[in-house]
Amino acid sequence: MSRRDDVLAALRVDGPVSGETLARRLGVSRAAVAKHVNALRDLGYVIDAEAGSGYWLREVPDALIPEEVAARLMSDRWGPVTGSGETGSTNEDCKRLAREGAPDGTVVIASRQTAGRGRLGRVWDSPEGGVYLSALVRPALLPAQAPPMALSVALGIVEGLGALGIDAGVKWPNDVWTSDGGKLAGVLVEMSAETDRVEWIVVGVGLNVARPKNPTEGAAYSSDLRPGTTPTEVAAAVLDGMSRAIARFEAEGFAALREAYERVLVIARADVKVSDMHGRVVAVGKVVGVDDFGRLLVERDGETLRVAAGEVTLRDDSDRRRP
Ligand code: BTN
């Protein structure tokens, strides 16, 4: 934690704290405390200075600020939480940190990306107001065990949003959809591995918070989240949900999450077409669930196909279960 974070942490009490007390507690001068308080004010914190009693934290900003996300986290898996308002891509930032040896749990967040990346080499449109975050996981997994990580993360996002009262579901493999059928979040998982060891996994999540619907082929399209929910609350809730799901996946494998995943699978029982990354159709039929490895089960003429990867298109929209 930086000194500014220390000052902020010390101000998060119900009442005023004197500059002298803060200076003594943190081992810095009163002038240094005043400098950090002013820096916090520049970030949007409302801090009153009351004669005789000291500094009083009155309001925290709505903007996505790493310290605010960190302060709201219930899980102790994540940290340090870093980032700034704008970056190219939080996944690129997080991968750089991973290569530099950053610890498991490192998180990078941004409220805008200028070079956001989606799955299959697509662009991830990342205007101001969204939540863009990447988390570094150093799991004890073999490379072959890693693929269901993305599904586990999607489930964690849905559960995290559920804790905020936001109803969402998963479209296999790892898209998060709202109840009105809009894409609310996407997950991009990138990995560095040797043949017998995963070195790191970077889990990138892009959430469309309070943006107008804009279905653009190849880019993000969105729905509004619950009005009044701040990006900071969303980021913290999503990270908490992810932490629970990832921990379970690491400890017990995807089999332990399978039922929960199927409960929120918005394409359950839908007639679908699944295409591979080249657009070739690999399965057509009715979705009957996923298996213990996260493969999609597609049934046709009494035969069940197991699809490990692909893009799902609905063939009959009326059949889709709403989350
Ligand atoms: C998808 O195509 O559905 C996945 C989109 C993932 C976007 C997120 S936003 C945060 C992180 N940084 C990126 O550049 N991409 C991921």
Side-chain angles (χ1 to χ4, degrees):
M1 280 217 294
S2 69
R3 276 279 172 249
R4 192 188 71 197
D5 294 346
D6 291 337
V7 170
L8 181 59
L11 287 172
R12 286 185 198 279
V13 289
D14 195 15
V17 193
S18 75
E20 197 181 331
T21 306
L22 285 172
R24 198 168 354 97
R25 210 184 285 164
L26 303 178
V28 296
S29 67
R30 284 178 64 175
V33 169
K35 191 186 85 186
H36 293 306
V37 166
N38 282 334
L40 289 167
R41 286 178 176 142
D42 288 345
L43 286 173
Y45 291 87
V46 178
I47 302 169
D48 288 351
E50 298 187 359
S53 52
Y55 296 112
W56 197 334
L57 178 61
R58 298 290 192 178
E59 260 179 57
V60 298
D62 273 354
L64 193 59
I65 292 177
E67 290 85 345
E68 284 311 313
V69 174
R72 278 174 181 273
L73 285 173
M74 286 189 284
S75 154
D76 57 12
R77 162 134 212 178
W78 305 121
V81 181
T82 63
S84 59
E86 176 183 300
T87 190
S89 155
T90 56
N91 259 38
E92 290 307 315
D93 295 344
C94 200
K95 285 191 308 187
R96 181 178 39 77
L97 292 172
R99 289 185 201 107
E100 290 168 4
D104 175 275
T106 299
V107 174
V108 182
I109 60 174
S111 56
R112 181 170 124 81
Q113 296 182 122
T114 52
R117 292 172 37 240
R119 287 174 62 219
L120 306 171
R122 291 174 183 150
V123 167
W124 184 261
D125 183 25
S126 312
E128 182 68 40
V131 172
Y132 312 104
L133 62 87
S134 300
L136 172 59
V137 181
R138 295 188 183 275
L141 291 177
L142 299 172
Q145 294 172 314
M149 172 68 88
L151 282 74
S152 309
V153 167
L155 172 64
I157 295 170
V158 167
E159 292 181 342
L161 292 172
L164 288 179
I166 298 165
D167 202 13
V170 179
K171 178 186 175 239
W172 185 89
N174 48 237
D175 280 351
V176 175
W177 277 17
T178 54
S179 48
D180 63 0
K183 179 161 167 173
L184 175 54
V187 177
L188 174 65
V189 174
E190 298 186 84
M191 168 169 112
S192 169
E194 293 164 15
T195 44
D196 56 354
R197 183 179 75 101
V198 172
E199 194 194 352
W200 50 257
I201 292 180
V202 164
V203 176
V205 180
L207 286 128
N208 304 310
V209 184
R211 288 173 49 200
K213 253 196 153 92
N214 176 23
T216 316
E217 193 52 44
Y221 55 107
S222 64
S223 296
D224 285 358
L225 285 177
R226 202 177 61 149
T229 311
T230 65
T232 301
E233 287 170 321
V234 171
V238 159
L239 283 165
D240 277 332
M242 282 165 53
S243 140
R244 286 187 292 271
I246 291 173
R248 190 121 194 248
F249 168 59
E250 284 180 308
E252 301 171 64
F254 186 74
L257 297 173
R258 177 183 167 177
E259 267 182 47
Y261 183 93
E262 285 182 333
R263 271 198 297 276
V264 298
L265 183 62
V266 295
I267 55 168
R269 292 186 301 278
D271 284 317
V272 299
K273 182 177 84 180
V274 190
S275 313
D276 68 12
M277 61 165 77
H278 307 291
R280 284 187 296 251
V281 176
V282 292
V284 174
K286 194 177 276 295
V287 172
V288 291
V290 291
D291 69 10
D292 284 351
F293 305 99
R295 292 176 298 194
L296 189 69
L297 303 177
V298 181
E299 195 180 82
R300 188 177 195 183
D301 300 332
E303 196 195 338
T304 304
L305 280 176
R306 290 166 193 266
V307 186
E311 192 87 339
V312 172
T313 317
L314 297 169
R315 295 175 68 222
D316 174 6
D317 199 46
S318 63
D319 201 19
R320 179 160 51 80
R321 180 162 64 84
R322 301 286 177 191

